[in-house]
Amino acid sequence: MAKNKRLAALRAKVDSNKVYPLTEAVSLVKGNAVAKFDETIELSVGLGVDPRHADQMVRGLISLPNGTGKTLRVGVFARGAKAEEALAAGAEVVGAEDLAEKIQAGELNFDRCIATPDMMALVGRLGKILGPRGLMPNPRLGTVTMDVKGAIAAAKSGQVEYRAERAGIVHAGVGKASFDEAKLVENIKALIDALQKARPSGAKGTYLKNASLTSTMGVGVRLDVTNLEG
């Protein structure tokens, strides 16, 4: 009952029929983030794409200018010197066949997976586990690389992966409720800009269809997308 009253109180502050300017939306979402922990602020964007078609897939990585406020746990598939490099760079989990066995046993103690190119034959066998979780290393995303140190540093410095889901919706954390409003606005604009630049060749008509902002325990606030397009 208390939870329902809390949500009702939050919803009363948001006009569900209104689309809000970005700065006003950020202020509203921050004000509604009243949980006892530092809530994540998440942006959801509806794109005019059908990701089931290869020429309409939207996926990439962006380093947000003010970070995400979250420390990613990194898993790395590597051997020898590259494994040592990964450990020195701060990877939480490093291995080869031993790491594959842990993953197959249900141990996925990481948020980003990186692999050296020579490990992809092994990693490929884990596609059914890593793929649905968005953890499959990908050369286009810079997560299949010999620059293990650089990839780990990027992941831990506020890098966000965005990917259009089946309905063409992208969900991504853009900071914490404790962030200054100006920093959240800057992060959101950076992500929107990245999505615009990632517009696939197969996208026709309206690309940026709708967007909303919310916090972990808050309610969604619709954004005025006409002022988000660059």
Side-chain angles (χ1 to χ4, degrees):
M1 184 65 71
K3 180 180 178 182
N4 290 338
K5 286 184 177 180
R6 182 187 66 80
L7 286 174
L10 294 179
R11 290 194 179 102
K13 299 177 182 180
V14 178
D15 184 347
S16 61
N17 296 313
K18 177 180 177 179
V19 290
Y20 290 82
L22 178 57
T23 53
E24 187 179 346
V26 167
S27 178
L28 190 55
V29 170
K30 268 180 60 70
N32 276 345
V34 293
K36 294 181 180 179
F37 62 93
D38 194 7
E39 297 182 50
T40 295
I41 305 299
E42 183 176 272
L43 176 68
S44 298
V45 182
L47 300 175
V49 298
D50 184 347
R52 292 175 297 179
H53 301 287
D55 66 346
Q56 295 188 50
M57 186 62 203
V58 178
R59 185 179 184 185
L61 289 172
I62 177 177
S63 292
L64 296 179
N66 301 299
T68 63
K70 177 183 178 181
T71 301
L72 287 184
R73 299 167 298 169
V74 179
V76 178
F77 279 92
R79 291 193 178 96
K82 286 298 173 181
E84 294 175 7
E85 179 183 325
L87 288 169
E92 280 71 18
V93 185
V94 181
E97 284 79 8
D98 56 332
L99 178 53
E101 289 176 5
K102 290 179 180 179
I103 291 171
Q104 288 172 329
E107 293 183 40
L108 284 93
N109 301 318
F110 50 84
D111 308 297
R112 178 71 53 77
C113 188
I114 295 166
T116 53
D118 59 297
M119 298 298 296
M120 286 309 294
L122 173 62
V123 177
R125 301 171 198 162
L126 304 170
K128 290 184 179 180
I129 300 173
L130 298 177
R133 294 171 173 80
L135 292 172
M136 193 67 183
N138 188 314
R140 292 180 296 176
L141 299 178
T143 48
V144 177
T145 177
M146 290 300 289
D147 183 13
V148 172
K149 180 179 179 181
I152 294 171
K156 289 183 172 291
S157 67
Q159 194 180 59
V160 169
E161 179 177 353
Y162 57 85
R163 181 178 185 176
E165 298 174 356
R166 182 173 296 180
I169 300 174
V170 172
H171 299 283
V174 291
K176 293 288 186 176
S178 59
F179 280 25
D180 291 341
E181 289 182 18
K183 290 185 176 180
L184 285 170
V185 168
E186 190 176 7
N187 278 357
I188 292 166
K189 286 184 175 179
L191 179 54
I192 292 293
D193 185 57
L195 291 175
Q196 295 279 29
K197 291 177 179 177
R199 179 172 181 155
S201 60
K204 307 299 181 184
T206 302
Y207 177 59
L208 195 61
K209 297 175 67 176
N210 54 69
S212 64
L213 200 64
T214 188
S215 63
T216 306
M217 303 296 290
V219 296
V221 176
R222 296 167 63 204
L223 295 175
D224 181 3
V225 295
T226 61
N227 290 321
L228 292 177
E229 294 184 292

mmCIF file of all heavy atoms in Angstrom, residues 52-105:
data_model
loop_
_atom_site.group_PDB
_atom_site.id
_atom_site.type_symbol
_atom_site.label_atom_id
_atom_site.label_comp_id
_atom_site.label_asym_id
_atom_site.label_seq_id
_atom_site.Cartn_x
_atom_site.Cartn_y
_atom_site.Cartn_z
ATOM 1 N N ARG A 52 15.222 -6.083 -36.886
ATOM 2 C CA ARG A 52 15.277 -7.430 -37.473
ATOM 3 C C ARG A 52 15.923 -7.388 -38.854
ATOM 4 O O ARG A 52 16.357 -8.422 -39.366
ATOM 5 C CB ARG A 52 13.868 -8.021 -37.556
ATOM 6 C CG ARG A 52 13.245 -8.344 -36.201
ATOM 7 C CD ARG A 52 11.809 -8.800 -36.338
ATOM 8 N NE ARG A 52 10.963 -7.748 -36.909
ATOM 9 C CZ ARG A 52 9.664 -7.894 -37.157
ATOM 10 N NH1 ARG A 52 9.074 -9.063 -36.894
ATOM 11 N NH2 ARG A 52 8.966 -6.897 -37.668
ATOM 12 N N HIS A 53 15.976 -6.204 -39.446
ATOM 13 C CA HIS A 53 16.630 -6.029 -40.744
ATOM 14 C C HIS A 53 18.038 -5.490 -40.533
ATOM 15 O O HIS A 53 18.242 -4.527 -39.785
ATOM 16 C CB HIS A 53 15.833 -5.064 -41.624
ATOM 17 C CG HIS A 53 14.431 -5.519 -41.890
ATOM 18 N ND1 HIS A 53 14.136 -6.561 -42.751
ATOM 19 C CD2 HIS A 53 13.244 -5.094 -41.400
ATOM 20 C CE1 HIS A 53 12.831 -6.747 -42.793
ATOM 21 N NE2 HIS A 53 12.262 -5.869 -41.977
ATOM 22 N N ALA A 54 19.004 -6.109 -41.177
ATOM 23 C CA ALA A 54 20.413 -5.745 -40.973
ATOM 24 C C ALA A 54 20.693 -4.279 -41.268
ATOM 25 O O ALA A 54 21.531 -3.654 -40.608
ATOM 26 C CB ALA A 54 21.307 -6.629 -41.846
ATOM 27 N N ASP A 55 19.981 -3.703 -42.233
ATOM 28 C CA ASP A 55 20.243 -2.303 -42.605
ATOM 29 C C ASP A 55 19.467 -1.313 -41.732
ATOM 30 O O ASP A 55 19.437 -0.121 -42.013
ATOM 31 C CB ASP A 55 19.939 -2.061 -44.084
ATOM 32 C CG ASP A 55 18.458 -2.208 -44.419
ATOM 33 O OD1 ASP A 55 17.707 -2.757 -43.579
ATOM 34 O OD2 ASP A 55 18.054 -1.766 -45.508
ATOM 35 N N GLN A 56 18.850 -1.818 -40.652
ATOM 36 C CA GLN A 56 18.144 -0.929 -39.734
ATOM 37 C C GLN A 56 18.594 -1.116 -38.288
ATOM 38 O O GLN A 56 17.960 -0.626 -37.355
ATOM 39 C CB GLN A 56 16.625 -1.153 -39.834
ATOM 40 C CG GLN A 56 16.042 -0.773 -41.179
ATOM 41 C CD GLN A 56 14.529 -0.829 -41.174
ATOM 42 O OE1 GLN A 56 13.863 -0.282 -40.296
ATOM 43 N NE2 GLN A 56 13.960 -1.505 -42.174
ATOM 44 N N MET A 57 19.709 -1.797 -38.110
ATOM 45 C CA MET A 57 20.220 -2.036 -36.772
ATOM 46 C C MET A 57 20.952 -0.801 -36.254
ATOM 47 O O MET A 57 21.710 -0.167 -36.988
ATOM 48 C CB MET A 57 21.177 -3.234 -36.781
ATOM 49 C CG MET A 57 21.656 -3.644 -35.404
ATOM 50 S SD MET A 57 20.261 -4.172 -34.378
ATOM 51 C CE MET A 57 20.910 -3.919 -32.742
ATOM 52 N N VAL A 58 20.679 -0.449 -35.017
ATOM 53 C CA VAL A 58 21.355 0.677 -34.370
ATOM 54 C C VAL A 58 22.058 0.150 -33.131
ATOM 55 O O VAL A 58 21.422 -0.342 -32.196
ATOM 56 C CB VAL A 58 20.347 1.786 -33.964
ATOM 57 C CG1 VAL A 58 21.068 2.918 -33.239
ATOM 58 C CG2 VAL A 58 19.615 2.312 -35.189
ATOM 59 N N ARG A 59 23.382 0.262 -33.127
ATOM 60 C CA ARG A 59 24.158 -0.242 -31.997
ATOM 61 C C ARG A 59 25.506 0.455 -31.961
ATOM 62 O O ARG A 59 26.103 0.725 -32.994
ATOM 63 C CB ARG A 59 24.375 -1.755 -32.114
ATOM 64 C CG ARG A 59 25.067 -2.372 -30.907
ATOM 65 C CD ARG A 59 25.226 -3.875 -31.067
ATOM 66 N NE ARG A 59 25.790 -4.471 -29.876
ATOM 67 C CZ ARG A 59 26.123 -5.753 -29.767
ATOM 68 N NH1 ARG A 59 25.942 -6.575 -30.808
ATOM 69 N NH2 ARG A 59 26.639 -6.230 -28.644
ATOM 70 N N GLY A 60 25.958 0.765 -30.783
ATOM 71 C CA GLY A 60 27.261 1.408 -30.678
ATOM 72 C C GLY A 60 27.651 1.674 -29.234
ATOM 73 O O GLY A 60 26.954 1.283 -28.291
ATOM 74 N N LEU A 61 28.784 2.340 -29.067
ATOM 75 C CA LEU A 61 29.290 2.720 -27.752
ATOM 76 C C LEU A 61 29.552 4.216 -27.754
ATOM 77 O O LEU A 61 29.970 4.783 -28.757
ATOM 78 C CB LEU A 61 30.598 1.981 -27.431
ATOM 79 C CG LEU A 61 30.529 0.484 -27.142
ATOM 80 C CD1 LEU A 61 31.932 -0.089 -27.048
ATOM 81 C CD2 LEU A 61 29.782 0.227 -25.844
ATOM 82 N N ILE A 62 29.326 4.846 -26.619
ATOM 83 C CA ILE A 62 29.640 6.253 -26.465
ATOM 84 C C ILE A 62 30.176 6.491 -25.058
ATOM 85 O O ILE A 62 29.658 5.932 -24.088
ATOM 86 C CB ILE A 62 28.410 7.153 -26.714
ATOM 87 C CG1 ILE A 62 28.765 8.621 -26.468
ATOM 88 C CG2 ILE A 62 27.221 6.721 -25.877
ATOM 89 C CD1 ILE A 62 27.664 9.600 -26.757
ATOM 90 N N SER A 63 31.210 7.292 -24.961
ATOM 91 C CA SER A 63 31.730 7.708 -23.665
ATOM 92 C C SER A 63 31.018 8.999 -23.285
ATOM 93 O O SER A 63 31.237 10.048 -23.903
ATOM 94 C CB SER A 63 33.244 7.928 -23.730
ATOM 95 O OG SER A 63 33.918 6.702 -23.938
ATOM 96 N N LEU A 64 30.132 8.928 -22.302
ATOM 97 C CA LEU A 64 29.384 10.105 -21.889
ATOM 98 C C LEU A 64 30.329 11.127 -21.266
ATOM 99 O O LEU A 64 31.233 10.754 -20.513
ATOM 100 C CB LEU A 64 28.294 9.714 -20.885
ATOM 101 C CG LEU A 64 27.202 8.790 -21.419
ATOM 102 C CD1 LEU A 64 26.210 8.457 -20.309
ATOM 103 C CD2 LEU A 64 26.471 9.422 -22.596
ATOM 104 N N PRO A 65 30.140 12.405 -21.559
ATOM 105 C CA PRO A 65 31.062 13.432 -21.092
ATOM 106 C C PRO A 65 31.217 13.500 -19.576
ATOM 107 O O PRO A 65 32.281 13.883 -19.067
ATOM 108 C CB PRO A 65 30.471 14.734 -21.654
ATOM 109 C CG PRO A 65 29.068 14.409 -22.023
ATOM 110 C CD PRO A 65 29.067 12.973 -22.400
ATOM 111 N N ASN A 66 30.166 13.098 -18.846
ATOM 112 C CA ASN A 66 30.226 13.162 -17.385
ATOM 113 C C ASN A 66 30.130 11.786 -16.726
ATOM 114 O O ASN A 66 29.841 11.674 -15.535
ATOM 115 C CB ASN A 66 29.094 14.068 -16.867
ATOM 116 C CG ASN A 66 29.197 15.468 -17.440
ATOM 117 O OD1 ASN A 66 30.181 16.159 -17.216
ATOM 118 N ND2 ASN A 66 28.199 15.870 -18.208
ATOM 119 N N GLY A 67 30.388 10.741 -17.517
ATOM 120 C CA GLY A 67 30.339 9.388 -16.981
ATOM 121 C C GLY A 67 28.918 8.960 -16.642
ATOM 122 O O GLY A 67 27.949 9.688 -16.895
ATOM 123 N N THR A 68 28.799 7.782 -16.069
ATOM 124 C CA THR A 68 27.479 7.239 -15.734
ATOM 125 C C THR A 68 27.231 7.177 -14.230
ATOM 126 O O THR A 68 26.109 6.952 -13.802
ATOM 127 C CB THR A 68 27.326 5.811 -16.286
ATOM 128 O OG1 THR A 68 28.298 4.958 -15.646
ATOM 129 C CG2 THR A 68 27.517 5.780 -17.789
ATOM 130 N N GLY A 69 28.284 7.349 -13.450
ATOM 131 C CA GLY A 69 28.145 7.209 -12.004
ATOM 132 C C GLY A 69 28.166 5.764 -11.558
ATOM 133 O O GLY A 69 28.042 5.451 -10.377
ATOM 134 N N LYS A 70 28.353 4.864 -12.513
ATOM 135 C CA LYS A 70 28.380 3.424 -12.220
ATOM 136 C C LYS A 70 29.724 2.843 -12.634
ATOM 137 O O LYS A 70 30.259 3.189 -13.684
ATOM 138 C CB LYS A 70 27.268 2.704 -12.984
ATOM 139 C CG LYS A 70 27.251 1.196 -12.807
ATOM 140 C CD LYS A 70 26.159 0.551 -13.660
ATOM 141 C CE LYS A 70 26.177 -0.966 -13.530
ATOM 142 N NZ LYS A 70 25.148 -1.617 -14.363
ATOM 143 N N THR A 71 30.261 2.001 -11.782
ATOM 144 C CA THR A 71 31.513 1.325 -12.103
ATOM 145 C C THR A 71 31.205 -0.033 -12.730
ATOM 146 O O THR A 71 30.605 -0.896 -12.095
ATOM 147 C CB THR A 71 32.373 1.106 -10.846
ATOM 148 O OG1 THR A 71 32.663 2.374 -10.248
ATOM 149 C CG2 THR A 71 33.680 0.423 -11.201
ATOM 150 N N LEU A 72 31.577 -0.192 -13.995
ATOM 151 C CA LEU A 72 31.319 -1.449 -14.690
ATOM 152 C C LEU A 72 32.321 -2.521 -14.280
ATOM 153 O O LEU A 72 33.504 -2.247 -14.112
ATOM 154 C CB LEU A 72 31.417 -1.245 -16.202
ATOM 155 C CG LEU A 72 30.293 -0.485 -16.906
ATOM 156 C CD1 LEU A 72 30.548 -0.477 -18.408
ATOM 157 C CD2 LEU A 72 28.940 -1.112 -16.623
ATOM 158 N N ARG A 73 31.823 -3.728 -14.137
ATOM 159 C CA ARG A 73 32.696 -4.884 -13.934
ATOM 160 C C ARG A 73 33.030 -5.445 -15.312
ATOM 161 O O ARG A 73 32.141 -5.672 -16.128
ATOM 162 C CB ARG A 73 31.996 -5.942 -13.086
ATOM 163 C CG ARG A 73 31.603 -5.473 -11.681
ATOM 164 C CD ARG A 73 30.660 -6.440 -11.028
ATOM 165 N NE ARG A 73 29.417 -6.536 -11.799
ATOM 166 C CZ ARG A 73 28.480 -7.459 -11.598
ATOM 167 N NH1 ARG A 73 28.648 -8.387 -10.671
ATOM 168 N NH2 ARG A 73 27.392 -7.487 -12.335
ATOM 169 N N VAL A 74 34.313 -5.645 -15.560
ATOM 170 C CA VAL A 74 34.767 -6.056 -16.891
ATOM 171 C C VAL A 74 35.320 -7.473 -16.860
ATOM 172 O O VAL A 74 36.143 -7.821 -16.001
ATOM 173 C CB VAL A 74 35.845 -5.085 -17.418
ATOM 174 C CG1 VAL A 74 36.334 -5.534 -18.791
ATOM 175 C CG2 VAL A 74 35.289 -3.668 -17.499
ATOM 176 N N GLY A 75 34.862 -8.277 -17.812
ATOM 177 C CA GLY A 75 35.408 -9.619 -18.003
ATOM 178 C C GLY A 75 36.209 -9.639 -19.295
ATOM 179 O O GLY A 75 35.787 -9.047 -20.290
ATOM 180 N N VAL A 76 37.350 -10.298 -19.283
ATOM 181 C CA VAL A 76 38.230 -10.311 -20.455
ATOM 182 C C VAL A 76 38.655 -11.735 -20.795
ATOM 183 O O VAL A 76 39.116 -12.490 -19.929
ATOM 184 C CB VAL A 76 39.495 -9.454 -20.216
ATOM 185 C CG1 VAL A 76 40.420 -9.526 -21.428
ATOM 186 C CG2 VAL A 76 39.117 -8.009 -19.922
ATOM 187 N N PHE A 77 38.485 -12.088 -22.067
ATOM 188 C CA PHE A 77 39.016 -13.350 -22.581
ATOM 189 C C PHE A 77 40.388 -13.072 -23.184
ATOM 190 O O PHE A 77 40.491 -12.367 -24.194
ATOM 191 C CB PHE A 77 38.091 -13.930 -23.643
ATOM 192 C CG PHE A 77 36.905 -14.674 -23.085
ATOM 193 C CD1 PHE A 77 35.702 -14.012 -22.858
ATOM 194 C CD2 PHE A 77 37.001 -16.022 -22.774
ATOM 195 C CE1 PHE A 77 34.610 -14.691 -22.350
ATOM 196 C CE2 PHE A 77 35.912 -16.708 -22.263
ATOM 197 C CZ PHE A 77 34.710 -16.041 -22.047
ATOM 198 N N ALA A 78 41.406 -13.603 -22.563
ATOM 199 C CA ALA A 78 42.776 -13.389 -23.050
ATOM 200 C C ALA A 78 43.706 -14.396 -22.413
ATOM 201 O O ALA A 78 43.396 -14.993 -21.380
ATOM 202 C CB ALA A 78 43.240 -11.968 -22.732
ATOM 203 N N ARG A 79 44.857 -14.571 -23.054
ATOM 204 C CA ARG A 79 45.887 -15.464 -22.538
ATOM 205 C C ARG A 79 47.213 -14.719 -22.407
ATOM 206 O O ARG A 79 47.425 -13.671 -23.021
ATOM 207 C CB ARG A 79 46.092 -16.658 -23.464
ATOM 208 C CG ARG A 79 44.962 -17.670 -23.530
ATOM 209 C CD ARG A 79 45.435 -18.941 -24.240
ATOM 210 N NE ARG A 79 44.379 -19.962 -24.292
ATOM 211 C CZ ARG A 79 43.564 -20.148 -25.314
ATOM 212 N NH1 ARG A 79 43.664 -19.371 -26.378
ATOM 213 N NH2 ARG A 79 42.666 -21.108 -25.288
ATOM 214 N N GLY A 80 48.108 -15.303 -21.617
ATOM 215 C CA GLY A 80 49.482 -14.816 -21.549
ATOM 216 C C GLY A 80 49.618 -13.362 -21.172
ATOM 217 O O GLY A 80 48.992 -12.870 -20.225
ATOM 218 N N ALA A 81 50.417 -12.636 -21.955
ATOM 219 C CA ALA A 81 50.715 -11.234 -21.660
ATOM 220 C C ALA A 81 49.456 -10.378 -21.677
ATOM 221 O O ALA A 81 49.335 -9.418 -20.897
ATOM 222 C CB ALA A 81 51.739 -10.697 -22.666
ATOM 223 N N LYS A 82 48.527 -10.684 -22.581
ATOM 224 C CA LYS A 82 47.297 -9.892 -22.658
ATOM 225 C C LYS A 82 46.403 -10.126 -21.439
ATOM 226 O O LYS A 82 45.697 -9.224 -21.006
ATOM 227 C CB LYS A 82 46.537 -10.207 -23.951
ATOM 228 C CG LYS A 82 47.187 -9.594 -25.189
ATOM 229 C CD LYS A 82 47.207 -8.075 -25.090
ATOM 230 C CE LYS A 82 47.981 -7.415 -26.203
ATOM 231 N NZ LYS A 82 48.007 -5.943 -26.076
ATOM 232 N N ALA A 83 46.443 -11.326 -20.890
ATOM 233 C CA ALA A 83 45.698 -11.598 -19.664
ATOM 234 C C ALA A 83 46.289 -10.802 -18.508
ATOM 235 O O ALA A 83 45.564 -10.228 -17.686
ATOM 236 C CB ALA A 83 45.716 -13.090 -19.358
ATOM 237 N N GLU A 84 47.629 -10.756 -18.467
ATOM 238 C CA GLU A 84 48.298 -9.972 -17.421
ATOM 239 C C GLU A 84 47.987 -8.492 -17.583
ATOM 240 O O GLU A 84 47.779 -7.770 -16.596
ATOM 241 C CB GLU A 84 49.811 -10.210 -17.491
ATOM 242 C CG GLU A 84 50.221 -11.635 -17.143
ATOM 243 C CD GLU A 84 51.708 -11.879 -17.327
ATOM 244 O OE1 GLU A 84 52.441 -10.891 -17.591
ATOM 245 O OE2 GLU A 84 52.144 -13.034 -17.201
ATOM 246 N N GLU A 85 47.947 -8.034 -18.835
ATOM 247 C CA GLU A 85 47.614 -6.635 -19.122
ATOM 248 C C GLU A 85 46.206 -6.306 -18.635
ATOM 249 O O GLU A 85 45.962 -5.234 -18.071
ATOM 250 C CB GLU A 85 47.718 -6.376 -20.623
ATOM 251 C CG GLU A 85 47.373 -4.962 -21.062
ATOM 252 C CD GLU A 85 47.419 -4.789 -22.574
ATOM 253 O OE1 GLU A 85 48.286 -5.422 -23.222
ATOM 254 O OE2 GLU A 85 46.582 -4.036 -23.110
ATOM 255 N N ALA A 86 45.277 -7.245 -18.854
ATOM 256 C CA ALA A 86 43.894 -7.038 -18.437
ATOM 257 C C ALA A 86 43.781 -6.926 -16.920
ATOM 258 O O ALA A 86 43.070 -6.054 -16.400
ATOM 259 C CB ALA A 86 43.016 -8.181 -18.954
ATOM 260 N N LEU A 87 44.464 -7.798 -16.215
ATOM 261 C CA LEU A 87 44.439 -7.747 -14.750
ATOM 262 C C LEU A 87 45.037 -6.446 -14.236
ATOM 263 O O LEU A 87 44.497 -5.810 -13.324
ATOM 264 C CB LEU A 87 45.193 -8.943 -14.171
ATOM 265 C CG LEU A 87 44.504 -10.307 -14.305
ATOM 266 C CD1 LEU A 87 45.458 -11.433 -13.937
ATOM 267 C CD2 LEU A 87 43.253 -10.351 -13.429
ATOM 268 N N ALA A 88 46.145 -6.033 -14.831
ATOM 269 C CA ALA A 88 46.799 -4.792 -14.420
ATOM 270 C C ALA A 88 45.927 -3.574 -14.697
ATOM 271 O O ALA A 88 45.995 -2.563 -13.985
ATOM 272 C CB ALA A 88 48.144 -4.650 -15.135
ATOM 273 N N ALA A 89 45.080 -3.679 -15.738
ATOM 274 C CA ALA A 89 44.216 -2.556 -16.117
ATOM 275 C C ALA A 89 42.938 -2.500 -15.291
ATOM 276 O O ALA A 89 42.144 -1.563 -15.440
ATOM 277 C CB ALA A 89 43.871 -2.642 -17.599
ATOM 278 N N GLY A 90 42.725 -3.508 -14.445
ATOM 279 C CA GLY A 90 41.581 -3.467 -13.543
ATOM 280 C C GLY A 90 40.405 -4.347 -13.897
ATOM 281 O O GLY A 90 39.322 -4.204 -13.318
ATOM 282 N N ALA A 91 40.588 -5.291 -14.830
ATOM 283 C CA ALA A 91 39.494 -6.210 -15.167
ATOM 284 C C ALA A 91 39.173 -7.084 -13.956
ATOM 285 O O ALA A 91 40.072 -7.558 -13.264
ATOM 286 C CB ALA A 91 39.872 -7.074 -16.358
ATOM 287 N N GLU A 92 37.886 -7.281 -13.723
ATOM 288 C CA GLU A 92 37.475 -8.089 -12.569
ATOM 289 C C GLU A 92 37.643 -9.579 -12.816
ATOM 290 O O GLU A 92 37.909 -10.352 -11.894
ATOM 291 C CB GLU A 92 36.012 -7.799 -12.214
ATOM 292 C CG GLU A 92 35.780 -6.534 -11.403
ATOM 293 C CD GLU A 92 35.983 -5.249 -12.179
ATOM 294 O OE1 GLU A 92 35.981 -5.291 -13.433
ATOM 295 O OE2 GLU A 92 36.136 -4.198 -11.542
ATOM 296 N N VAL A 93 37.421 -10.007 -14.066
ATOM 297 C CA VAL A 93 37.485 -11.431 -14.404
ATOM 298 C C VAL A 93 38.310 -11.592 -15.676
ATOM 299 O O VAL A 93 38.041 -10.932 -16.680
ATOM 300 C CB VAL A 93 36.072 -12.015 -14.645
ATOM 301 C CG1 VAL A 93 36.155 -13.511 -14.883
ATOM 302 C CG2 VAL A 93 35.146 -11.712 -13.485
ATOM 303 N N VAL A 94 39.304 -12.460 -15.633
ATOM 304 C CA VAL A 94 40.155 -12.699 -16.800
ATOM 305 C C VAL A 94 40.381 -14.197 -16.939
ATOM 306 O O VAL A 94 40.608 -14.897 -15.947
ATOM 307 C CB VAL A 94 41.523 -11.986 -16.655
ATOM 308 C CG1 VAL A 94 42.381 -12.243 -17.892
ATOM 309 C CG2 VAL A 94 41.333 -10.490 -16.443
ATOM 310 N N GLY A 95 40.313 -14.689 -18.165
ATOM 311 C CA GLY A 95 40.571 -16.103 -18.360
ATOM 312 C C GLY A 95 40.364 -16.526 -19.795
ATOM 313 O O GLY A 95 40.176 -15.700 -20.692
ATOM 314 N N ALA A 96 40.377 -17.848 -20.000
ATOM 315 C CA ALA A 96 40.174 -18.426 -21.330
ATOM 316 C C ALA A 96 39.169 -19.566 -21.171
ATOM 317 O O ALA A 96 38.005 -19.318 -20.877
ATOM 318 C CB ALA A 96 41.506 -18.904 -21.910
ATOM 319 N N GLU A 97 39.630 -20.810 -21.306
ATOM 320 C CA GLU A 97 38.716 -21.942 -21.145
ATOM 321 C C GLU A 97 38.095 -21.969 -19.745
ATOM 322 O O GLU A 97 36.917 -22.342 -19.587
ATOM 323 C CB GLU A 97 39.449 -23.262 -21.404
ATOM 324 C CG GLU A 97 39.714 -23.560 -22.873
ATOM 325 C CD GLU A 97 40.910 -22.796 -23.430
ATOM 326 O OE1 GLU A 97 41.615 -22.144 -22.626
ATOM 327 O OE2 GLU A 97 41.135 -22.856 -24.649
ATOM 328 N N ASP A 98 38.879 -21.587 -18.748
ATOM 329 C CA ASP A 98 38.362 -21.571 -17.377
ATOM 330 C C ASP A 98 37.226 -20.561 -17.213
ATOM 331 O O ASP A 98 36.224 -20.830 -16.538
ATOM 332 C CB ASP A 98 39.477 -21.265 -16.381
ATOM 333 C CG ASP A 98 40.206 -19.954 -16.687
ATOM 334 O OD1 ASP A 98 40.257 -19.564 -17.860
ATOM 335 O OD2 ASP A 98 40.737 -19.339 -15.752
ATOM 336 N N LEU A 99 37.360 -19.412 -17.878
ATOM 337 C CA LEU A 99 36.303 -18.401 -17.816
ATOM 338 C C LEU A 99 35.070 -18.887 -18.574
ATOM 339 O O LEU A 99 33.935 -18.684 -18.133
ATOM 340 C CB LEU A 99 36.804 -17.077 -18.394
ATOM 341 C CG LEU A 99 35.804 -15.919 -18.454
ATOM 342 C CD1 LEU A 99 35.170 -15.663 -17.094
ATOM 343 C CD2 LEU A 99 36.480 -14.653 -18.974
ATOM 344 N N ALA A 100 35.285 -19.560 -19.703
ATOM 345 C CA ALA A 100 34.163 -20.099 -20.475
ATOM 346 C C ALA A 100 33.374 -21.112 -19.643
ATOM 347 O O ALA A 100 32.135 -21.126 -19.679
ATOM 348 C CB ALA A 100 34.676 -20.747 -21.756
ATOM 349 N N GLU A 101 34.091 -21.940 -18.893
ATOM 350 C CA GLU A 101 33.419 -22.938 -18.049
ATOM 351 C C GLU A 101 32.573 -22.272 -16.971
ATOM 352 O O GLU A 101 31.458 -22.715 -16.676
ATOM 353 C CB GLU A 101 34.466 -23.855 -17.405
ATOM 354 C CG GLU A 101 35.139 -24.804 -18.390
ATOM 355 C CD GLU A 101 36.227 -25.636 -17.750
ATOM 356 O OE1 GLU A 101 36.405 -25.539 -16.508
ATOM 357 O OE2 GLU A 101 36.904 -26.391 -18.467
ATOM 358 N N LYS A 102 33.088 -21.188 -16.383
ATOM 359 C CA LYS A 102 32.334 -20.466 -15.355
ATOM 360 C C LYS A 102 31.058 -19.865 -15.940
ATOM 361 O O LYS A 102 30.000 -19.919 -15.322
ATOM 362 C CB LYS A 102 33.206 -19.363 -14.749
ATOM 363 C CG LYS A 102 34.344 -19.871 -13.884
ATOM 364 C CD LYS A 102 35.167 -18.717 -13.336
ATOM 365 C CE LYS A 102 36.308 -19.227 -12.465
ATOM 366 N NZ LYS A 102 37.152 -18.114 -11.944
ATOM 367 N N ILE A 103 31.178 -19.312 -17.140
ATOM 368 C CA ILE A 103 30.012 -18.710 -17.793
ATOM 369 C C ILE A 103 28.969 -19.776 -18.103
ATOM 370 O O ILE A 103 27.769 -19.579 -17.892
ATOM 371 C CB ILE A 103 30.441 -17.968 -19.071
ATOM 372 C CG1 ILE A 103 31.270 -16.729 -18.701
ATOM 373 C CG2 ILE A 103 29.229 -17.568 -19.906
ATOM 374 C CD1 ILE A 103 31.914 -16.048 -19.875
ATOM 375 N N GLN A 104 29.421 -20.926 -18.588
ATOM 376 C CA GLN A 104 28.497 -22.015 -18.890
ATOM 377 C C GLN A 104 27.812 -22.538 -17.628
ATOM 378 O O GLN A 104 26.704 -23.069 -17.686
ATOM 379 C CB GLN A 104 29.250 -23.147 -19.591
ATOM 380 C CG GLN A 104 29.634 -22.794 -21.031
ATOM 381 C CD GLN A 104 30.540 -23.843 -21.659
ATOM 382 O OE1 GLN A 104 31.336 -24.492 -20.974
ATOM 383 N NE2 GLN A 104 30.439 -23.995 -22.978
ATOM 384 N N ALA A 105 28.486 -22.353 -16.485
ATOM 385 C CA ALA A 105 27.912 -22.789 -15.207
ATOM 386 C C ALA A 105 27.012 -21.718 -14.596
ATOM 387 O O ALA A 105 26.466 -21.899 -13.504
ATOM 388 C CB ALA A 105 29.035 -23.139 -14.232
#
